[in-house]
Amino acid sequence: VERTRATERSIAYRLLSVPPRRTTIMAAVISRARAIGKMLSMPVTLSAPGPAFAATAVWSRGKHSLPDLPYDYSALEPVISGEIMELHHSKHHQAYVNGLNAASEQMEAAQAKGDVESMTRLTKAITFNGGGHINHSIFWQNLCPKKDYRPPQGALLAKIDQDFGSLEKLQASLTQATVGLQGSGWGWLGYHKETDQLYVKTMANQNPLQCGTPLLGIDAWEHAYYLQYKNVRPDYVKAIWEVVNWADVEARFEASSS
């Protein structure tokens, strides 16, 4: 979890790293980058608060890499096949990492030249690929082999009961939202510290979760399930609850609510 959150923080800093300019276009770029950075803000460790982002940040070179899975590709069977997991991780997630690295290098060059038009365009590429990288980095940790599954407990379970009425009602709410998502995107359980509320929200494409901390994500892109479930998303979403790693979700909740 600590390694995943370090990755999340690193991406967040990059998405914040367009320096201020005295132009309307640049102000918009900065505003968008800062907003994305706040969406991705997460604690570095389970005991430390999230990073306090400065008003401006400096773009620095650095490569992102594909994180290792904490289990074998076949470990989530029969819920998710090993073939899907291998393609999803080694091809699709890798593509987001490659896109993020390429866009980051191009952004550094555009910044050095003061090329505002390119910086504006590249902010979108970093949002998409950075979002894909961070969303998937959370997703892998959110899952576990079926034999290791256990229901949520402790403070998280108490909060679920308080905000949703029961675990079953939370599952029904997130399932309905994810199944009903039009096109590609993600279904999320998030936590908003300022209001002390758990909430369910869907995000289109690879847009990172807004207004709070992502705790549990369900990938609703067809590449996450089509080879096994065809176009029957409801069956995939129903089954994925059998391999949710509630220990990871609990750790994220504890870190974000402390």
Side-chain angles (χ1 to χ4, degrees):
V1 174
E2 181 176 348
R3 178 180 177 183
T4 301
R5 291 199 170 113
T7 298
E8 293 161 1
R9 184 183 69 166
S10 175
I11 297 171
Y13 273 120
R14 294 189 176 285
L15 293 171
L16 280 176
S17 57
V18 181
R21 294 286 188 273
R22 295 179 180 179
T23 68
T24 302
I25 294 177
M26 182 54 63
V29 172
I30 297 168
S31 177
R32 175 60 175 162
R34 288 178 184 166
I36 296 165
K38 290 180 180 178
M39 294 176 208
L40 299 175
S41 175
M42 293 195 68
V44 183
T45 67
L46 298 184
S47 60
F53 293 107
T56 62
V58 177
W59 196 275
S60 60
R61 182 181 298 276
K63 290 286 188 179
H64 294 281
S65 59
L66 184 70
D68 294 333
L69 295 185
Y71 38 73
D72 295 333
Y73 285 134
S74 62
L76 304 184
E77 293 181 346
V79 174
I80 305 177
S81 72
E83 182 182 15
I84 287 177
M85 288 298 296
E86 183 172 2
L87 288 170
H88 197 174
H89 176 255
S90 67
K91 301 298 183 183
H92 292 281
H93 190 172
Q94 183 67 67
Y96 295 120
V97 172
N98 294 345
L100 176 59
N101 285 330
S104 297
E105 292 181 359
Q106 294 169 33
M107 177 67 87
E108 186 175 3
Q111 177 184 341
K113 296 176 183 178
D115 185 348
V116 176
E117 182 177 353
S118 292
M119 292 171 73
T120 303
R121 172 178 54 81
L122 289 165
T123 299
K124 296 178 181 179
I126 292 172
T127 300
F128 179 77
N129 289 292
H133 183 27
I134 203 168
N135 289 344
H136 284 87
S137 295
I138 296 171
F139 182 61
W140 308 133
Q141 299 291 334
N142 277 170
L143 304 177
C144 68
K146 192 172 181 178
K147 64 180 179 62
D148 296 330
Y149 173 87
R150 65 157 176 80
Q153 57 191 29
L156 176 63
L157 179 59
K159 189 61 177 168
I160 289 173
D161 289 340
Q162 176 183 331
D163 290 350
F164 290 95
S166 68
L167 174 61
E168 291 73 23
K169 289 181 179 179
L170 161 62
Q171 290 174 319
S173 179
L174 183 50
T175 295
Q176 181 180 18
T178 306
V179 169
L181 178 66
Q182 294 185 345
S184 299
W186 291 75
W188 288 101
L189 170 66
Y191 174 70
H192 194 260
K193 185 173 183 178
E194 286 71 18
T195 60
D196 188 30
Q197 290 287 318
L198 294 172
Y199 63 94
V200 165
K201 187 174 179 62
T202 58
M203 300 299 296
N205 299 316
Q206 292 296 350
N207 293 339
L209 184 67
Q210 302 180 52
C211 303
T213 300
L215 303 180
L216 171 63
I218 300 177
D219 189 346
W221 282 65
E222 283 196 342
H223 65 233
Y225 60 88
Y226 190 85
L227 289 179
Q228 184 173 354
Y229 294 91
K230 306 306 180 187
N231 63 338
V232 189
R233 185 188 290 175
D235 288 354
Y236 157 71
V237 176
K238 179 181 178 181
I240 205 169
W241 289 107
E242 299 177 21
V243 290
V244 169
N245 182 4
W246 285 109
D248 179 71
V249 183
E250 289 163 4
R252 293 175 186 278
F253 173 68
E254 179 181 353
S256 61
S257 60
S258 59

